[in-house]
Amino acid sequence: DGGITQSPKYLFRKEGQNVTLSCEQNLNHDAMYWYRQDPGQGLRLIYYSQIVNDFQKGDIAEGYSVSREKKESFPLTVTSAQKNPTAFYLCASKVAGGATETQYFGPGTRLLVL
Amino acid sequence: SQQGEEDPQALSIQEGENATMNCSYKTSINNLQWYRQNSGRGLVHLILIRSNEREKHSGRLRVTLDTSKKSSSLLITASRAADTASYFCATGMYQGAQKLVFGQGTRLTINP
């Protein structure tokens, strides 16, 4: 099956700990995105990448880091600098270029602080 | 900052009725999209309308776009209990067209 997978489904973070959320896609998409969603709110863009080994900050990048070493993978690290990490994190991907702007989303990871 | 503002924030109707959700935005756009999210799940793309289009249909969905008023509406006809979800509009802009900016969503409940 083609699609986007995110793991784990639930993640618990202790004070001062860095945690990494996984996002993998087999859609052969060039562009990938990370969003944060707080309860009852819309999505806010954390980071995005349009090509391997390149990524740009979104609207709320502070306290987060990413890498894009492979086309299929775009992991997100929530660092200890992110003081309010509890949220639902969504990864998405799309084909490159302007032919279509549709983004395809993974099932999400819910991050909770212990 | 949020580009889209959606109205209403919550909507509850009876099964079989039509549901209308509205989205307003602030700057010029390349396209506007509607997504659906079931509780605790990822988003699913419903429909895209480009800035040079005024109306688009897909099954029971009808989307309109008024660029002069910077607004869009999503109409779901003959609603079903399975339509219960949150619906988000997202705008793609001319600059950095790789990015979408999402509204805060409308939570739709269809009562059987």
Side-chain angles (χ1 to χ4, degrees):
Chain A
D1 288 334
I4 302 178
T5 57
Q6 290 186 241
S7 62
K9 186 172 182 178
Y10 295 96
L11 186 59
F12 298 91
R13 192 190 92 164
K14 294 180 182 178
E15 202 72 36
Q17 186 182 39
N18 293 353
V19 292
T20 298
L21 285 62
S22 169
C23 177
E24 304 277 333
Q25 55 97 2
N26 61 2
L27 299 169
N28 200 33
H29 287 170
D30 287 296
M32 297 186 75
Y33 306 80
W34 274 106
Y35 295 92
R36 170 180 172 140
Q37 185 178 31
D38 291 285
Q41 301 295 313
L43 279 65
R44 291 185 290 168
L45 183 63
I46 305 173
Y47 268 99
Y48 65 105
S49 168
Q50 299 184 47
I51 196 168
V52 174
N53 293 323
D54 187 47
F55 48 83
Q56 288 80 39
K57 293 181 179 180
D59 299 319
I60 56 165
E62 186 175 351
Y64 300 97
S65 66
V66 293
S67 63
R68 186 86 188 277
E69 297 176 1
K70 298 187 301 181
K71 186 176 183 178
E72 303 79 18
S73 179
F74 190 40
L76 172 74
T77 296
V78 183
T79 74
S80 57
Q82 173 49 245
K83 298 307 179 187
N84 184 24
T86 297
F88 190 49
Y89 291 87
L90 288 159
C91 178
S93 71
K94 69 178 285 292
V95 297
T100 176
E101 295 293 338
T102 300
Q103 293 188 12
Y104 295 82
F105 283 81
T109 292
R110 190 167 299 280
L111 177 60
L112 300 165
V113 176
L114 292 177
Chain B
S1 61
Q2 294 288 346
Q3 161 79 315
E5 295 289 334
E6 295 185 60
D7 171 58
Q9 291 188 355
L11 178 62
S12 180
I13 61 174
Q14 294 300 121
E15 194 167 19
E17 294 180 340
N18 295 342
T20 300
M21 289 158 270
N22 302 295
C23 171
S24 60
Y25 57 92
K26 298 176 182 174
T27 62
S28 296
I29 63 171
N30 176 270
N31 66 82
L32 187 143
Q33 303 179 41
W34 286 89
Y35 287 81
R36 166 194 167 124
Q37 183 181 35
N38 287 84
S39 182
R41 310 290 292 273
L43 276 68
V44 175
H45 180 259
L46 294 176
I47 195 165
L48 178 153
I49 187 166
R50 298 203 178 276
S51 58
N52 60 353
E53 298 175 309
R54 291 297 167 258
E55 188 170 311
K56 207 161 184 180
H57 296 254
S58 176
R60 293 185 296 113
L61 305 180
R62 182 175 80 110
V63 169
T64 61
L65 179 64
D66 187 336
T67 53
S68 67
K69 295 182 179 178
K70 291 186 169 60
S71 68
S72 173
S73 67
L74 170 67
L75 169 67
I76 303 174
T77 61
S79 64
R80 305 167 182 170
D83 294 328
T84 295
S86 292
Y87 293 80
F88 295 89
C89 68
T91 50
M93 288 166 277
Y94 286 107
Q95 61 180 44
Q98 296 282 341
K99 296 193 294 181
L100 294 177
V101 179
F102 286 82
Q104 293 187 328
T106 293
R107 190 168 59 256
L108 175 65
T109 302
I110 309 299
N111 301 302

